[in-house]
Amino acid sequence: STGLSSGNVTLENLRLRPDALADLHPGIVIKAGIVGRIHLELPWTALFTSRSLLKIENVVVLLGPTDLQYDPDHIAARREREEQQKIDRLERAEVALLARRSSAQPLTPQMRRQQRQQQDESTFVGQLVARLVSNLQIECTNVHIRYEDMRTPSQPVVFGASFGRLAVTTTNENFQPAPAADGPVAYKLVELKQVALYGESAPLPVRTEAEFMHLMLSMVLPIYGPGAAQVQQANLALRAHGLRPMTVDDCLLCPCNLEVRLALNKN
């Protein structure tokens, strides 16, 4: 549901494109990827003083290798991206050239007024964006990313990473939650909860999107230990699909928490 005019936007069950990571690593393709929910809160009446909130929930991604040499879809998509990047570079170069030429010409009074107006608008937009970023709170929960390489069936490569919660909070100089204050330094507290890495030897049996999300979220619950009832339900779902419930012994990095305190120079 969308309601941008009211300051609240919610998007659900967003599918990730298979080539979404091509620019980061051309050898990796997204075999399946779903973002369960994205919720954005923007206080239009108090953008400079109130916090904005971005919440992302239930992100599950299954990665795998792609055959770069013989995949015609990948080659076509890569060529399209390269052509678009060239067009973008040419457009930026043309804009810069026109700006240099116009600056070398004498300005009329009307041109000077227009230039000052553009500078004022640019300054206001820059201040607005900076304040939004300063007051932006980010919460991301239940994220599970898994990589499967089954090109050698006798020696499959399967590993994954997950975390229960990531929070980025605006704070004061004592790193207590507070609205962003005027001044040259912005303070942020980054908290990462229940982050874990694991390795396995069996692929994930995926038949439908609903099963995929349910299994990806269920398989990491036992290592978090959120509660006996939840763990039991997760284990039952895994066994129903022929999967062994995961334990802490499967972890390359056991669930742990991380806290980072940032002091950002606004200048």
Side-chain angles (χ1 to χ4, degrees):
S1 62
T2 58
L4 191 58
S5 59
S6 65
N8 291 281
V9 179
T10 300
L11 303 174
E12 295 181 344
N13 297 324
L14 305 177
R15 296 170 182 83
L16 301 181
R17 290 176 47 182
D19 61 347
L21 299 179
D23 291 335
L24 295 178
H25 196 297
I28 294 179
V29 64
I30 297 179
K31 299 168 65 176
I34 302 175
V35 179
R37 185 173 183 266
I38 297 178
H39 179 70
L40 178 64
E41 295 180 7
L42 290 174
W44 290 118
T45 58
L47 283 176
F48 283 91
T49 57
S50 298
R51 73 167 189 168
S52 301
L53 177 63
L54 174 62
K55 295 184 69 174
I56 304 173
E57 302 173 6
N58 299 336
V59 180
V60 291
V61 182
L62 181 62
L63 305 175
T66 184
D67 191 334
L68 300 181
Q69 186 174 0
Y70 301 109
D71 186 350
D73 293 336
H74 177 84
I75 293 174
R78 183 177 61 185
R79 287 176 178 172
E80 183 179 351
R81 287 195 303 273
E82 291 174 350
E83 291 175 359
Q84 186 59 49
Q85 289 172 356
K86 290 180 182 178
I87 293 173
D88 293 341
R89 287 196 296 269
L90 290 174
E91 289 179 348
R92 288 195 296 269
E94 184 178 1
V95 170
L97 179 61
L98 292 175
R100 287 196 298 270
R101 287 178 178 177
S102 62
S103 63
Q105 298 175 354
L107 300 178
T108 64
Q110 182 180 1
M111 294 173 64
R112 289 194 180 94
R113 287 195 297 271
Q114 292 177 346
Q115 189 178 59
R116 285 195 297 268
Q117 182 179 1
Q118 291 175 352
Q119 291 174 347
D120 293 341
E121 291 176 353
S122 176
T123 300
F124 173 77
V125 172
Q127 291 176 346
L128 178 61
V129 171
R131 178 62 71 170
L132 281 173
V133 172
S134 297
N135 281 325
L136 180 63
Q137 318 293 304
I138 300 175
E139 295 181 13
C140 188
T141 57
N142 298 332
V143 175
H144 182 189
I145 301 173
R146 180 181 172 98
Y147 178 86
E148 295 181 355
D149 185 348
M150 308 304 296
R151 289 177 293 184
T152 306
S154 60
Q155 294 179 328
V157 177
V158 181
F159 58 89
S162 67
F163 61 82
R165 181 175 183 268
L166 170 66
V168 181
T169 307
T170 301
T171 70
N172 55 24
E173 64 274 10
N174 297 318
F175 294 97
Q176 300 297 320
D182 294 329
V185 180
Y187 298 93
K188 293 283 187 179
L189 179 64
V190 182
E191 298 174 286
L192 187 59
K193 304 288 187 181
Q194 298 175 325
V195 58
L197 304 175
Y198 68 87
E200 274 200 310
S201 59
L204 188 68
V206 176
R207 288 186 289 271
T208 67
E209 286 187 353
E211 284 185 350
F212 168 64
M213 174 169 280
H214 183 56
L215 289 177
M216 287 283 284
L217 294 176
S218 295
M219 65 190 310
V220 294
L221 279 178
I223 63 176
Y224 292 157
Q230 286 180 283
V231 171
Q232 185 177 10
Q233 292 178 358
N235 289 342
L236 289 175
L238 295 172
R239 290 193 179 97
H241 290 81
L243 297 175
R244 177 180 60 84
M246 192 177 298
T247 67
V248 175
D249 294 334
D250 297 308
C251 292
L252 304 174
L253 173 66
C254 292
C256 59
N257 299 331
L258 176 67
E259 181 179 289
V260 179
R261 298 182 176 187
L262 301 176
L264 307 175
N265 188 341
K266 296 180 181 179
N267 300 322

